[in-house]
Amino acid sequence: MGMLHSHAHTFQTNCYGSWWGPKVLLWLILIVVSFFIPNGFFMFWGNYVALIGATIFILLGLVLLVDFAHSWSEMCLEKWENSSSNFWQWVLIVSTAGTYIFTFALTGVLYAYFAGAGCTLNQFFISFNLALCLLITVLCVHPTIQEHNPRSGLAQAGVVGAYCTYLIVSALSNHTHETLQCNPLRDGRSTRKAVVVFGGIFTFLAIAFSTTRAATQSRALVGKGKKNRVELTDDENGHSELGYVTTQPGRTESPRYQALLAAVNAG
């Protein structure tokens, strides 16, 4: 099992980090083939399949962002504990405060320009997102959550809140409304183009981050499992420091071989 796991890990690593020639060739072939696909296929794909894929992408992006926030906060806390200055403490505080300032600033802009009279749906989504941001903030610092996960904190809630608020801004600014009170960007072509360009750049960065994070930190998606390894528990001889066994013992390490070797040495 250990050998199979090692070979599978090596194959996965090779797929991600090599074979760029065949991958680029396949990419170019798919681009050329896409020009011969009928428009009806893209209409069906955009109206049904893409919605499901977009939902899954958003959920996976949230999971990876939470993992990134965990790693960032743990790195800052570790560097702060191992140093004599409070530099990394302030780095963590400022970065966390920055996410909350970004969230509340965008929420204020949404209430000011996208939640006018008669924009009931916009008001609902903005208020619902704000309520969820406050809820996850309370949950992250709740004593029960802290008991099971002491590393949980405001950094994770701030990152998730900022990302969800950006999604609300993107959805409301790209939705077509009948009046300017619900979407002031409806008739502004230059502003609308800027929003589309910014959204495209952000989407590209999000996809690049998600794929890179998923490749390097796969435990964020599948969990920190203990598959294919055995933990040696504490015993009376005090050998718990041996930790996990991840490979099969060799022939020379088996008890039978050791017993035969001892008998030969004893004559």
Side-chain angles (χ1 to χ4, degrees):
M1 293 296 292
M3 294 180 63
L4 291 177
H5 178 73
S6 177
H7 287 303
H9 179 72
T10 303
F11 177 76
Q12 181 181 9
T13 304
N14 291 334
C15 288
Y16 282 119
S18 60
W19 300 349
W20 290 105
K23 287 190 288 188
V24 171
L25 179 61
L26 179 61
W27 174 61
L28 295 176
I29 293 175
L30 291 177
I31 292 178
V32 174
V33 171
S34 63
F35 286 99
F36 299 94
I37 300 177
N39 292 332
F41 171 80
F42 291 104
M43 297 297 296
F44 169 79
W45 186 273
N47 293 330
Y48 300 99
V49 181
L51 294 178
I52 301 175
T55 303
I56 296 175
F57 171 76
I58 291 175
L59 294 178
L60 292 180
L62 282 175
V63 173
L64 294 172
L65 281 176
V66 171
D67 176 67
F68 169 76
H70 269 291
S71 302
W72 171 254
S73 61
E74 288 179 359
M75 184 195 72
C76 292
L77 290 175
E78 182 180 357
K79 290 183 177 294
W80 175 42
E81 292 173 354
N82 295 331
S83 63
S84 57
S85 64
N86 295 329
F87 173 76
W88 287 103
Q89 178 189 13
W90 284 106
V91 169
L92 181 59
I93 293 175
V94 171
S95 61
T96 303
T99 57
Y100 277 97
I101 292 174
F102 177 81
T103 300
F104 291 126
L106 281 184
T107 302
V109 171
L110 290 175
Y111 274 119
Y113 296 99
F114 292 87
C119 306
T120 307
L121 186 61
N122 289 4
Q123 295 172 359
F124 167 75
F125 282 118
I126 298 171
S127 302
F128 185 68
N129 177 73
L130 180 60
L132 288 181
C133 291
L134 297 177
L135 177 62
I136 60 177
T137 300
V138 174
L139 290 177
C140 282
V141 297
H142 194 273
T144 304
I145 303 297
Q146 290 290 321
E147 181 181 356
H148 291 82
N149 186 9
R151 293 291 185 177
S152 177
L154 296 177
Q156 295 84 356
V159 170
V160 173
Y163 180 65
C164 292
T165 305
Y166 165 76
L167 293 178
I168 296 296
V169 172
S170 178
L172 296 184
S173 61
N174 287 282
H175 183 64
T176 303
H177 294 274
E178 296 180 357
T179 62
L180 289 176
Q181 294 179 346
C182 298
N183 186 3
L185 303 179
R186 182 172 64 92
D187 295 334
R189 293 185 178 181
S190 60
T191 307
R192 192 174 183 85
K193 289 181 179 179
V195 173
V196 171
V197 171
F198 177 77
I201 294 174
F202 183 85
T203 302
F204 174 79
L205 294 177
I207 294 175
F209 169 78
S210 300
T211 53
T212 304
R213 192 70 178 175
T216 58
Q217 299 288 340
S218 59
R219 62 180 183 177
L221 300 178
V222 301
K224 299 177 182 179
K226 299 179 181 179
K227 186 178 180 181
N228 296 331
R229 65 182 188 180
V230 178
E231 183 179 6
L232 299 179
T233 57
D234 296 340
D235 55 14
E236 59 182 3
N237 296 326
H239 294 297
S240 59
E241 70 277 0
L242 295 177
Y244 292 102
V245 177
T246 59
T247 58
Q248 294 286 348
R251 185 179 64 87
T252 60
E253 298 173 350
S254 63
R256 180 180 179 184
Y257 180 86
Q258 294 294 336
L260 292 174
L261 182 61
V264 172
N265 293 333

